[in-house]
Amino acid sequence: MVFYFSGTGNSALVARQIAESLGDEMISINQCLKEKETKIFRAKEPLIFVAPTYAWQMPKVVHRWIQESGFQNRQKAYFVLTCAGSIGNAAAYAKKLCLEKNLLFCGLAPVIMPNNYVALSNTPDKKECDEILEKAREQTDELIALIQQDRPFPESHASFKEKLSSGPVNTLYYSLFVHDQGFAATDACVSCGKCQKRCPLDNISMENGRPLWKGNCTHCMACIGGCPAEAIEYKKSSKNRRRYYIMED
């Protein structure tokens, strides 16, 4: 089984490439979160978790979902984190999670994808995105080969800086930046409701034809990145920045 969480499509794309190559079933963590039900999964093949990197770790919503879900038997678990740069010491936290869930940790590996964090940083132009995606496919194929050979992902040793980034910096980053205060719809909004539909945490409601954020945001960028009218802004920082969205609706 390939479990994936994705805001703008990077992790969904990697998950689909893995699932198609292995002939595995894909499970959307986004949809599971929306259904708000604790589930027990039964699978003979290894479990593969694909998610973005949020502040040098697996997203907290994904970590918590894995904690609350049931997985029968002591199955092997691979983790793939899409990122625009570093994953820090994320492997240590995934390994600890596997111990909690009685899963056999088979490694965590990054796949470099285009930056989608339009709220706080610039996203690449189309040409650069295409080049990054082409290289990402090569990285993904290498990971697929290891899974097919029943081999663990290569282990890397985190530096002090990486441990700091995934530890206290991650905690501070979430408390300071990961919230929905600052998201707003402009007059370009066409009231299509796609932002509401795409939000994995059901954090958006439509009020008088406009989206209203309700305080439970994980900064996945699905709303701002996927708005067909580019009518959502994050404070002043996202203005005139290119939106990035490749998720299949």
Side-chain angles (χ1 to χ4, degrees), residues 105-126:
F105 179 68
C106 293
L108 181 150
V111 173
I112 305 299
M113 298 288 277
N115 176 36
N116 72 343
Y117 205 6
V118 65
L120 296 179
S121 59
N122 290 317
T123 57
D125 60 28
K126 186 179 186 306

Side-chain angles (χ1 to χ4, degrees), residues 2 4 20-21 23 31 43 47 49 57 59 61 65 68 77 108 112 129 152 158 169 171 177-179 199 237-238:
V2 181
Y4 71 97
E20 289 177 351
S21 295
Q31 187 59 38
L47 307 179
F49 299 95
Q57 265 202 55
V61 293
W65 179 83
E68 295 173 352
L108 181 150
I112 305 299
C129 282
V169 174
T171 301
F177 297 106
V178 184
H179 51 71
C199 179
S237 61
S238 64

